[in-house]
Amino acid sequence: MKQIYLDNNATTAVAPEVLEAMTPFLKELWGNPSSMHVFGGQVRRHVERARRQVADFIGADQPEIVFTSCGTESNNMAILGTMEAAAERMNFITTRVEHPAVLEPARKLKGLGFNVIELDVDSYGQIDLGQLKRYLGQGPALVSIMWANNETGVIFPIREIAEMVKGAGGIMHTDAVQAAGKIPIDLRGTKADLLSLSGHKLHAPKGVAALYIRRGTRVAPLIHGGHQEFGKRGGTENVPGIVALGKACELSADSISEEAARVAALRDRLQEGILKMCPDTRVNGDQTRRLPNTLNISFLYVEGESILYHLSDLGVAASSGSACTSGSLEPSHVIRAMGVPFIAAHGSIRFSLSRYNTGDDVDYVLEHLPPIIRKLRSISPFGRM
């Protein structure tokens, strides 16, 4: 059976070039980079080369990159570590559509007595900058707003948001886990203080990520017990993963614009085909400002999980939302925050493409999806054919 992977916002395939780059560090080059002898020294320089590759990828300086184990750790360190290191108690401002890796630390802060504010979004998934400005006027704040949403692909105006936050004397963090590798990121053009990215979202393996910390930004470590990563994150470095992340960033930087255009054309063809062949469907999110690979679409009168099961039986992998919250039959918090009607929210599906998808993949989905929708609607308890 044909296998088509359209769930690349959950995780991506490891690129062959990345696997080749990291393999020696699982075999011959197994030294501890902190060791003084040759086994460590010959590995250390590869760690620092990867740090430079990541820094170049986002327009940062090498010492501003701290390697972590995943995007969730980077977000937790940015949020909890910044609040711990702050000289004064700050408010915490975020949005209702963030990934749980931001919302859960926010709830921890609230439990500790911090003032936590979650900004609303409109029906396109965009925040009201006027609302953000009003809350920034209530005192010093750490603001964490994602660069792009993992479920809808909606891109937030991070440059403008960071200008507002810094103008109000705040600290700005952005979760760029979904944006990195899909659209260009250049921190020389923004005033963000902290940025999270993750390897497995851009064709590196799971288990490695990075946190950008602008020079001069105070962040307390989450993991204690070693001097590694400039004293900001204890623990022996995941050298194969770090080398892989560096290579993945280098590969992406070389082709990101061309790749984004090609993937966006495939995504748009998929979207147009579904809308044409499946009546009573709607695209969720801002279609003018979204990631080139992401399509979130609702099929009215049917359950998203049922669609996914039928697609899976035909070898097509997609998602009803964040992989971190899959398994729940409740509509996604992102879709609900956008005010999508109940009858549509339950039938929302996310297709997320990558550099490895082809026109044949899109044709296969367009051939098999409409019959699935017709079949499910014929037995729908909502009674719509």
Side-chain angles (χ1 to χ4, degrees):
M1 182 170 60
K2 191 176 179 69
Q3 296 283 323
I4 298 176
Y5 188 74
L6 298 175
D7 197 15
N8 288 278
N9 285 9
T11 194
T12 58
V14 175
E17 301 93 330
V18 169
L19 180 61
E20 183 181 6
M22 69 184 289
T23 298
F25 301 90
L26 295 165
K27 298 167 71 177
E28 305 90 12
L29 300 172
W30 42 264
N32 187 327
S34 296
S35 297
M36 298 297 291
H37 48 63
V38 66
F39 288 87
Q42 64 183 354
V43 170
R44 168 58 59 190
R45 62 189 177 86
H46 290 281
V47 170
E48 296 312 315
R49 179 172 185 264
R51 199 185 309 278
R52 176 171 54 75
Q53 290 168 316
V54 175
D56 290 346
F57 182 57
I58 59 173
D61 293 330
Q62 245 176 285
E64 295 175 318
I65 302 300
V66 172
F67 290 116
T68 66
S69 66
C70 60
T72 297
E73 183 190 335
S74 292
N75 286 336
N76 272 260
M77 183 175 173
I79 295 167
L80 301 178
T82 301
M83 294 300 253
E84 181 181 337
E88 59 181 332
R89 198 173 183 87
M90 295 189 294
N91 297 326
F92 181 70
I93 302 175
T94 186
T95 78
R96 291 176 60 195
V97 296
E98 298 296 314
H99 189 278
V102 167
L103 292 176
E104 290 300 324
R107 282 156 196 159
K108 179 179 176 64
L109 289 175
K110 193 169 186 176
L112 294 171
F114 286 89
N115 184 29
V116 173
I117 299 152
E118 294 184 9
L119 302 174
D120 299 321
V121 295
D122 61 21
S123 59
Y124 296 98
Q126 291 287 356
I127 62 170
D128 176 359
L129 295 183
Q131 185 186 37
L132 171 61
K133 185 177 181 181
R134 289 192 293 279
Y135 282 122
L136 286 172
Q138 293 183 359
L142 168 63
V143 177
S144 180
I145 294 179
M146 61 199 342
W147 199 297
N149 187 269
N150 51 303
E151 296 188 25
T152 62
V154 170
I155 298 171
F156 287 119
I158 292 300
R159 178 182 297 189
E160 188 175 355
I161 291 169
E163 288 275 352
M164 291 173 62
V165 172
K166 299 307 292 180
I171 299 173
M172 176 71 194
H173 166 249
T174 181
D175 173 1
V177 163
Q178 285 300 337
K182 300 184 179 79
I183 55 174
I185 291 175
D186 188 351
L187 289 171
R188 290 167 295 199
T190 81
K191 293 185 176 179
D193 301 295
L194 301 146
L195 177 145
S196 305
L197 62 83
S198 180
H200 76 106
K201 306 291 189 180
L202 65 153
H203 302 291
K206 300 161 191 66
V208 65
L211 176 64
Y212 158 80
I213 305 175
R214 185 180 293 280
R215 201 185 303 269
T217 305
R218 297 179 61 189
V219 179
L222 283 186
I223 299 176
H224 302 269
H227 61 279
Q228 293 87 354
E229 297 304 296
F230 314 113
K232 293 185 171 65
R233 198 236 184 216
T236 303
E237 295 92 339
N238 170 12
V239 177
I242 288 170
V243 170
L245 177 58
K247 183 65 178 179
C249 288
E250 181 184 84
L251 284 173
S252 182
D254 288 343
S255 61
I256 193 164
S257 296
E258 297 82 2
E259 183 178 310
R262 192 186 74 80
V263 171
L266 290 174
R267 186 274 314 274
D268 292 346
R269 197 171 123 208
L270 177 63
Q271 175 178 314
E272 289 164 12
I274 292 174
L275 291 175
K276 181 179 178 182
M277 291 188 271
C278 300
D280 294 324
T281 55
R282 53 174 286 169
V283 176
N284 298 314
D286 187 341
Q287 295 183 53
T288 63
R289 288 174 290 180
R290 66 175 163 166
L291 295 174
N293 77 319
T294 305
L295 168 62
N296 190 304
I297 191 163
S298 285
F299 299 87
L300 278 63
Y301 317 118
V302 291
E303 291 284 346
E305 299 296 329
S306 298
I307 301 171
L308 293 177
Y309 287 134
H310 281 74
L311 285 174
S312 181
D313 285 345
L314 293 167
V316 178
S319 170
S320 59
S322 167
C324 302
T325 55
S326 64
S328 170
L329 293 178
E330 290 298 311
S332 108
H333 70 287
V334 174
I335 299 300
R336 281 183 287 145
M338 292 164 58
V340 174
F342 174 86
I343 202 75
H346 274 274
S348 63
I349 297 293
R350 180 188 69 187
F351 296 101
S352 49
L353 288 68
S354 83
R355 68 177 68 144
Y356 298 120
N357 287 119
T358 66
D360 287 346
D361 295 343
V362 172
D363 291 341
Y364 186 83
V365 174
L366 291 178
E367 177 187 352
H368 290 93
L369 179 60
I372 291 173
I373 300 302
R374 286 195 294 273
K375 176 184 176 183
L376 291 174
R377 282 178 176 163
S378 71
I379 57 174
S380 167
F382 299 104
R384 185 65 179 263
M385 300 289 290

